[in-house]
Amino acid sequence: MERRMTRIGYLMLLPSVLLIAALIVYPVVNTIYQSFFEIRTQTAALGARFTGLDNYVKAINDTHFRDTLVWTLLFTGVSVGIELVIGMGLALLMKRKMPGQGLIRTAVLIPWAIPTVVAGIIWTQFFSQNGMINYILQTIHLIEEPLSWLGNQWLAKLSILIADIWKNTPYMSLLLLSGLLTISKDYYEAAQIDGATRWKQFTCITVPLIRSTMSVTVLFRIISAMRVYDLIVAMTGGGPAGKTETVSMYAVNTYFTYGNTGYGAALSVLMLLISIGISLLFVDSLKTKGSV
Amino acid sequence: MLFVVVFLFVMLAPLAYMVSASFMSQADLNSIPPKLFPSAPSLANFVSALTQQPILKYVYNSFVITLIAVAICLTAGSMASYALTRTRIRFKTTFLVFVLAISLLPTITLINPIFKLYSRLGLLNTHLGLAVVAAVLDLPMTIWFLTAVLKGIPTSFEESAKLDGAGIFQIFVYVLAPIMKASLFSISILVFIGAWNRYLLSQVLNQYEARRTVVVGLTLYQTNHTVPFGVVAAAGLITILPLFFLVLRFQKNILGGIMEGGVKE
């Protein structure tokens, strides 16, 4: 009976294993393999030519790749950093009992639930020449002339970051809130009796106790920020002059516009290595997650 | 109180503006200072949205693909979670950690081989093909979520059903599913929203108009020189209506799903 159940167990795991093997493991292995070859869609009939590390050497010397990588990492660091700070603030406020709590928690879901493309389109309009942002800044006399937000590389980057922060902070705050709600009130009561200040309570009770929730949340946000694609496609299309193009956009163009499969694969593998490197920094908190 | 007002404003104003803009004329949209409300509300943008692109077709495609994805994800995910919590198979933790690790992969490491594989299998520009990929991408979250839920359910219910001679399938459908109803529903909604909003894979795998999803179709209203924001806003509103309905109607389930599940991009 027991052995039969075990066999049924493996059988029930099979659909997931097959799906993951076909659509995740095989593609990743195939991408790594192809990164060592010169393969072009245009000359596919001639087959692939093994070129060793040539694609990687080319990537390291490719200034456009370096630019996209620097911008992708900058985007990731700045957006996740700000989202963590604001998200933590929101989570602390949402934890308190107050009128409109249900309304707030529903409102938080709106930016999270709408497609990134829609968020991108709305913010593009806000940052347009005649848009709301220019109007508000002119009204309060911060600027005299309307700014070309999406036409200047640094302003375009700032616009993209603002749109991303609006879209992703709410979700971050919900995950942090779920961590906060697991902390027993007793700790705070005890701290109050001992006369600890609010800041002291935050740094000595809250932060240590939600540390693992926080690191897992941050890791997943970092990884998803590093994939950034649709927001920028919708807002600038990578412009002006390719200055807001991310690694994802560059790799997709290399594959499907230029048809340079081998090189696209090498760019993807480099991104994979960076993702693995970052994940390793978080391995301890993932272990606590893994021991559910 | 002030915080509540400011917060709601920041969260909702961009979307409210889109709704308002979808009823504005081009003159309203170009006016300086920018208008908050249409001077003469009209449905012209919706007419353009429906005629310039076959958006209802795109919405239909999104629905079909998303529903198939939810079905696959929940079926495979429930089976796996049952195996992980109710049978004595080996490598349980290894499998869970592995599943977590694959959800950290960059999409660009998957996309070209999947494209090539699908083109060989004739799965490009099909509902099923895109649905399977969408399902697999949300499978890690589903397995983690349902495994945690099943761990919390005592096995005593199943034991008595087993003594009565019920098989695994019957136990799942008649004993566990009713207990897990709310959780199954929550995770379905999360998978639904995830699949509905998935952009890059939909753009690459379903390029033909006949199988295009609505989030991809949305980007096609912009022509080279002008962005007809009123029309795009109307199309955007059509795109998010199903999501809006889900959020307003099932916020408790969604909040529960996010806050209990934890892992989601």
Side-chain angles (χ1 to χ4, degrees):
Chain A
M1 183 66 192
E2 205 50 69
R3 191 176 290 170
R4 201 177 76 93
M5 271 303 282
T6 311
R7 206 172 326 129
I8 291 174
Y10 286 116
L11 227 59
M12 291 181 87
L13 209 56
L14 199 61
S16 297
V17 170
L18 287 180
L19 284 171
I20 290 170
L23 291 172
I24 297 189
V25 177
Y26 161 73
V28 172
V29 173
N30 191 249
T31 299
I32 296 172
Y33 177 77
Q34 294 197 318
S35 71
F36 299 112
F37 287 84
E38 164 85 22
I39 315 172
R40 286 176 188 270
T41 312
Q42 297 88 334
T43 56
L46 299 176
R49 189 166 59 86
F50 181 77
T51 54
L53 292 172
D54 280 7
N55 285 324
Y56 291 97
V57 174
K58 187 178 160 195
I60 289 163
N61 294 315
D62 178 350
T63 50
H64 186 59
F65 171 63
R66 250 182 278 160
D67 287 347
T68 56
L69 183 61
V70 169
W71 160 230
T72 304
L73 295 176
L74 180 78
F75 170 85
T76 303
V78 174
S79 67
V80 178
I82 296 179
E83 283 158 26
L84 177 62
V85 173
I86 304 179
M88 182 63 90
L90 283 179
L92 289 168
L93 284 164
M94 283 198 288
K95 201 184 128 198
R96 291 200 211 153
K97 290 249 177 306
M98 63 169 130
Q101 196 181 46
L103 201 61
I104 288 182
R105 290 191 187 173
T106 307
V108 159
L109 291 176
I110 298 281
W112 165 77
I114 67 170
T116 309
V117 173
V118 172
I121 289 168
I122 300 173
W123 283 95
T124 306
Q125 175 69 13
F126 279 164
F127 283 113
S128 68
Q129 200 80 11
N130 300 342
M132 219 39 100
I133 304 283
N134 271 335
Y135 174 69
I136 293 170
L137 292 179
Q138 278 176 301
T139 314
I140 58 173
H141 294 290
L142 263 177
I143 55 172
E144 295 305 318
E145 291 294 310
L147 292 173
S148 169
W149 284 91
L150 300 175
N152 167 296
Q153 80 153 296
W154 293 106
L155 290 177
K157 287 176 177 172
L158 182 63
S159 310
I160 290 165
L161 281 165
I162 291 172
D164 187 76
I165 291 165
W166 176 79
K167 171 96 175 79
N168 287 314
T169 304
Y171 180 66
M172 188 95 136
S173 68
L174 281 179
L175 293 183
L176 294 171
L177 176 63
S178 73
L180 289 179
L181 292 176
T182 60
I183 303 176
S184 157
K185 277 201 185 92
D186 301 349
Y187 292 115
Y188 295 104
E189 276 160 16
Q192 250 159 6
I193 293 167
D194 293 342
T197 60
R198 277 189 174 274
W199 175 248
K200 196 89 185 147
Q201 291 178 27
F202 177 72
T203 51
C204 296
I205 302 174
T206 313
V207 172
L209 285 175
I210 67 160
R211 211 179 150 150
S212 77
T213 310
M214 203 161 82
S215 353
V216 175
T217 308
V218 167
L219 173 60
F220 274 81
R221 260 309 293 149
I222 288 178
I223 295 295
S224 103
M226 277 179 23
R227 292 175 187 156
V228 63
Y229 181 82
D230 25 0
L231 182 68
I232 299 179
V233 168
M235 287 187 76
T236 63
K243 293 291 184 200
T244 58
E245 196 171 293
T246 58
V247 177
S248 290
M249 295 167 77
Y250 188 36
V252 169
N253 284 337
T254 306
Y255 282 135
F256 299 106
T257 311
Y258 312 131
N260 195 343
T261 307
Y263 191 51
L267 298 180
S268 305
V269 172
L270 287 172
M271 211 52 190
L272 174 67
L273 292 175
I274 296 173
S275 301
I276 293 174
I278 293 175
S279 306
L280 288 178
L281 299 176
F282 289 83
V283 107
D284 285 338
S285 38
L286 284 177
K287 266 189 199 144
T288 37
K289 182 100 192 147
S291 61
V292 170
Chain B
M1 202 57 213
L2 178 72
F3 159 73
V4 177
V5 174
V6 172
F7 179 77
L8 288 178
F9 179 78
V10 174
M11 289 296 109
L12 301 178
L15 207 64
Y17 179 72
M18 186 183 86
V19 174
S20 178
S22 67
F23 296 100
M24 284 185 198
S25 64
Q26 196 56 43
D28 280 352
L29 287 165
N30 289 340
S31 72
I32 301 174
K35 284 210 160 69
L36 288 179
F37 300 101
S39 50
S42 95
L43 291 173
N45 290 325
F46 288 89
V47 174
S48 305
L50 292 168
T51 50
Q52 285 176 16
Q53 291 281 334
I55 191 168
L56 293 181
K57 176 88 198 157
Y58 299 159
V59 169
Y60 168 80
N61 290 336
S62 284
F63 259 113
V64 174
I65 290 163
T66 301
L67 291 176
I68 300 176
V70 171
I72 295 174
C73 202
L74 256 83
T75 309
S78 305
M79 289 169 74
S81 312
Y82 187 88
L84 291 168
T85 52
R86 295 295 193 268
T87 65
R88 292 199 187 159
I89 55 171
R90 296 171 67 197
F91 308 118
K92 285 181 187 175
T93 312
T94 315
F95 182 76
L96 278 171
V97 170
F98 174 70
V99 164
L100 190 67
I102 60 172
S103 59
L104 297 171
L105 292 169
T107 318
I108 46 172
T109 51
L110 310 174
I111 192 147
N112 191 49
I114 294 180
F115 181 82
K116 296 273 159 63
L117 180 71
Y118 269 28
S119 106
R120 249 180 290 147
L121 298 174
L123 282 170
L124 287 178
N125 297 300
T126 61
H127 289 144
L128 181 66
L130 185 53
V132 174
V133 176
V136 174
L137 292 178
D138 276 334
L139 196 55
M141 168 182 74
T142 310
I143 291 177
W144 271 83
F145 182 86
L146 292 178
T147 302
V149 171
L150 275 169
K151 273 215 168 113
I153 300 175
T155 51
S156 49
F157 298 106
E158 297 149 58
E159 299 300 337
S160 54
K162 237 183 238 170
L163 289 178
D164 293 340
I168 289 186
F169 182 75
Q170 284 159 314
I171 289 178
F172 198 86
V173 174
Y174 297 109
V175 182
L176 289 173
I179 305 176
M180 299 166 66
K181 209 164 65 185
S183 306
L184 287 169
F185 190 64
S186 296
I187 193 71
S188 307
I189 297 179
L190 293 191
V191 175
F192 184 100
I193 294 176
W196 185 272
N197 292 350
R198 216 166 269 292
Y199 181 80
L200 175 53
L201 283 156
S202 319
Q203 185 197 27
V204 170
L205 298 180
N206 284 20
Q207 299 180 5
Y208 291 171
E209 188 179 285
R211 291 290 185 274
R212 195 175 279 150
T213 64
V214 69
V215 281
V216 177
L218 203 52
T219 57
L220 303 177
Y221 286 95
Q222 308 183 5
T223 52
N224 281 338
H225 299 291
T226 54
V227 183
F229 184 66
V231 181
V232 181
L237 193 57
I238 296 171
T239 308
I240 62 168
L241 273 182
L243 305 172
F244 212 63
F245 168 77
L246 286 177
V247 168
L248 292 184
R249 177 73 185 74
F250 301 115
Q251 0 122 340
K252 289 233 165 64
N253 300 77
I254 299 177
L255 285 167
I258 293 176
M259 290 171 59
E260 283 155 31
V263 188
K264 172 85 167 68
E265 52 190 46

